[in-house]
Amino acid sequence: MSENGTGLRARKRQRTYRAISDAAVSLFLEKGFATVSVSEIAEAAEVSKPTLFRYFRTKEDMALHRFADHENEAARVVAGRHAHESPLTALENHFLAGLEARDPVTGLCDEPEVLSFHRLLYGTPELVARLHSYTARSEEALADALAAGAADGAADAGTAPGLTARLAAGQLVTSQRVLATANWRRIADGASADSVSAAAREDARRAFALLRTGLTPFA
């Protein structure tokens, strides 16, 4: 198959992923996660059940598909940073840019659809549990990126190779998750994104400043 044909096929698959996920999320928001059947989702997405299961194994995966692009985001930021920019600085600048852009991943977004989705996510135990697997993969990818770019002296003496990078990745991913959750709670309590933007930026700067005191090899 030609390169153009391969690209067209990949784009078609991505459109199908998105169509199924969007149909599923719309139904979950309307009826609740537990009450929506796979058959309803397939009908709404205009695909057969066998086709649906070729794209998604579970309802949880359909709901969380919009996180798929962000799973390796931190790793991509570290791998693509400027030559003289540290991983921590690159990640901090990226998070601050996300706040400025009102990226839903930062929690600082007051669009009604985003708020509804976050209520669905954090109010559904099955989705919260599945989100942990996304977080674990994000940490793993970030740890690989940190280890690949670390200086020779970055590893702790006497520890297994890569342990320092894995510890750092866990703290970084967790810190960004905590920041995003705090921002979402402010919005969920009725604040506008603009009104809490300054506080969100200050929280982010403080969080990364705290990380620098304990993550010296990557600072």
Side-chain angles (χ1 to χ4, degrees), residues 50-161:
T51 296
L52 184 148
F53 282 120
R54 283 201 298 270
Y55 284 84
F56 295 102
R57 293 184 301 169
T58 67
K59 292 198 303 180
E60 289 85 353
D61 290 331
M62 298 176 209
L64 294 175
H65 176 65
R66 56 189 58 187
F67 282 94
D69 288 342
H70 298 283
E71 188 173 297
N72 296 325
E73 185 171 321
R76 292 196 301 268
V77 169
V78 168
R81 72 190 188 280
H82 298 304
H84 300 294
E85 187 177 36
S86 72
L88 274 176
T89 298
L91 289 168
E92 179 179 10
N93 289 338
H94 183 74
F95 191 84
L96 291 171
L99 292 176
E100 186 68 25
R102 302 296 187 263
D103 188 333
V105 173
T106 68
L108 192 67
C109 183
D110 52 12
E111 295 180 8
E113 182 181 354
V114 172
L115 285 174
S116 295
F117 177 76
H118 281 160
R119 292 190 188 98
L120 170 71
L121 172 60
Y122 295 117
T124 307
E126 298 94 329
L127 295 180
V128 173
R130 182 55 61 89
L131 188 59
H132 288 316
S133 66
Y134 280 74
T135 301
R137 291 195 293 271
S138 180
E139 288 182 7
E140 183 177 353
L142 177 56
D144 287 343
L146 290 172
D152 292 340
D156 291 332
T159 62

Side-chain angles (χ1 to χ4, degrees), residues 95 122 131-132 135 172-182:
F95 191 84
Y122 295 117
L131 188 59
H132 288 316
T135 301
L172 283 160
V173 170
T174 298
S175 294
Q176 292 187 78
R177 176 183 59 78
V178 169
L179 289 169
T181 302

